[in-house]
């Protein structure tokens, strides 16, 4: 029965069981989840921008409809995740405030520009691909509401990944100029996609504790390697190359060796110095301010409904 005490928390974690909102939990467990779920939610809504930039410029009605639906899915993912964070006792307004003032992070990947139409396809293939590899294990994380949010998110993201692959394949098999555009997009998005998995294990301050608590099921480097192993044969199927001369099949490990990642770039982008950080936050804040009247109207309507119910 509820609520279950802190000693039960240890038992739940040991049994790989789920922790639910009304269970007692250590303050640091709660804080870690708020940090990660909020960062994840922020990534989804900031992540609407690079692709959103192409909605008015999609090359056909069909591609435009697909892109609109994908960007709307990302808004939905943000909402599930903010709702999951709220089960931990935080307020959505406070989380948005933390995003807008830079106190909470969002994924480094969304600070890169989408320069051509092929970038939309490369984002679907690589960024959604990396997101799925990272998030499928989160579906088994110890916190119930976060784990359950992952089920639908991963299903939708795997559809997004396939549409990106299909779009990239169409361009790769198109005219020489279209093929070159697809290759250029992959060249620019490959390394930033590998950085999505976070710093190397040895430099990941949260990993040990998050693993002990069953929030993380695999390390940053393990998931990064899994992603590379999936992407290499897919690139071949696309007829495109990955911009890494050190990619080599390692017979012994049964995995692809890859070149050195420039983690200085990740640090720079995360600390606000990526190519698009200012644009992304500026637009997010403007959208929030533009939406003030909707929030006010909704609150006024809710208050009026409340009065009627009481009368
Ligand atoms: N960018 O000790 P660790 C999507 C931070 S997918 C920015 O390893 P942790 C879908 C980290 O927060 C993208 N910051 O940390 C989509 C920590 O900062 P703090 C979103 C990063 O938490 C597709 C510090 O570095 N997915 O949106 C990054 O154990 C297409 C130390 O790192 C998620 O958020 C980074 N790349 O592991 C949408 C997944 N990497 O708080 C639109 C959930 C690390 O100490 C279009 N999150 N940091 O100041 C996670 O799985 C984990 O939080 C990790 C990091 C693996 C990202």
């Amino acid at each position: 029965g509820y609520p279950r005490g802190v000693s039960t928390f240890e038992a739940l974690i040991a049994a790989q069981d789920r922790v639910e909102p009304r269970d007692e939990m250590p303050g640091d467990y709660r804080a870690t989840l708020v940090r990660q779920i909020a960062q994840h939610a922020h990534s989804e809504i900031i992540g609407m921008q690079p692709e959103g930039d192409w909605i008015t410029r999609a090359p056909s009605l069909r591609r435009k409809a697909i892109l609109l639906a994908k960007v709307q899915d990302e808004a939905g993912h943000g909402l599930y995740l903010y709702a999951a964070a709220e089960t931990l006792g935080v307020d959505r307004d406070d989380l948005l405030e933390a995003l807008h003032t830079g106190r909470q992070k969002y994924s480094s990947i969304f600070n890169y520009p989408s320069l051509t139409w092929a970038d939309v396809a490369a984002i679907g293939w690589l960024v959604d691909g990396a997101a799925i590899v990272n998030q499928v294990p989160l579906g088994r994380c110890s916190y119930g509401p976060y784990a359950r949010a992952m089920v639908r998110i991963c299903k939708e993201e795997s559809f997004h990944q396939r549409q990106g692959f299909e779009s990239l394949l169409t361009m790769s098999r198109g005219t020489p100029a279209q093929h070159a555009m697809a290759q250029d997009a992959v060249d620019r998005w490959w390394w930033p996609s590998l950085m999505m998995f976070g710093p190397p294990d040895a430099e990941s301050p949260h990993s040990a504790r998050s693993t002990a608590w069953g929030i993380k099921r695999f390390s940053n480097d393990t998931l990064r390697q899994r992603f590379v192993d999936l992407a290499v044969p897919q690139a071949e199927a696309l007829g495109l190359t990955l911009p890494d001369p050190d990619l080599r099949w390692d017979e012994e490990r049964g995995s692809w060796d890859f070149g050195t990642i420039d983690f200085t770039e990740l640090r720079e982008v995360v600390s606000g110095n990526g190519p698009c950080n200012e644009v992304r936050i500026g637009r997010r804040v403007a959208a929030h301010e533009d939406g003030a009247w909707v929030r006010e109207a909704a609150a006024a309507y809710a208050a009026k409904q409340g009065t009627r119910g009481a009368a």
Side-chain angles (χ1 to χ4, degrees), residues 35 39 74 105 108 134 157 195 198 204-206 216 220:
R35 174 183 66 78
Q39 172 171 325
E74 285 152 10
K105 299 184 164 91
S108 52
N134 164 266
E157 276 171 1
M195 294 175 201
S204 163
H206 302 300
K216 277 180 134 160
N220 296 1

Side-chain angles (χ1 to χ4, degrees), residues 94-111:
D94 294 335
L95 299 180
L96 285 171
E97 172 74 12
L99 169 65
H100 297 163
T101 54
R103 272 186 295 118
Q104 280 176 351
K105 299 184 164 91
Y106 58 90
S107 180
S108 52
I109 193 74
F110 302 116
N111 292 307

Side-chain angles (χ1 to χ4, degrees), residues 35-36 39-41 43-44 46-48 51 70 74 77 105-110 123-124 127-128 130-131 134-135 138 146 157 160 195-200 203-207 210 216 220 266 270:
R35 174 183 66 78
Q36 180 168 327
Q39 172 171 325
H40 197 164
S43 303
E44 295 283 356
I46 294 280
M48 296 166 74
E51 291 165 287
K70 180 182 193 288
E74 285 152 10
H77 298 172
K105 299 184 164 91
Y106 58 90
S107 180
S108 52
I109 193 74
F110 302 116
I123 291 171
V127 177
D128 282 279
N134 164 266
Q135 286 167 199
L138 290 174
Y146 190 30
E157 276 171 1
H160 295 170
M195 294 175 201
M196 287 174 70
F197 294 91
E203 292 157 36
S204 163
H206 302 300
S207 275
S210 287
K216 277 180 134 160
N220 296 1
L266 176 62
V270 171

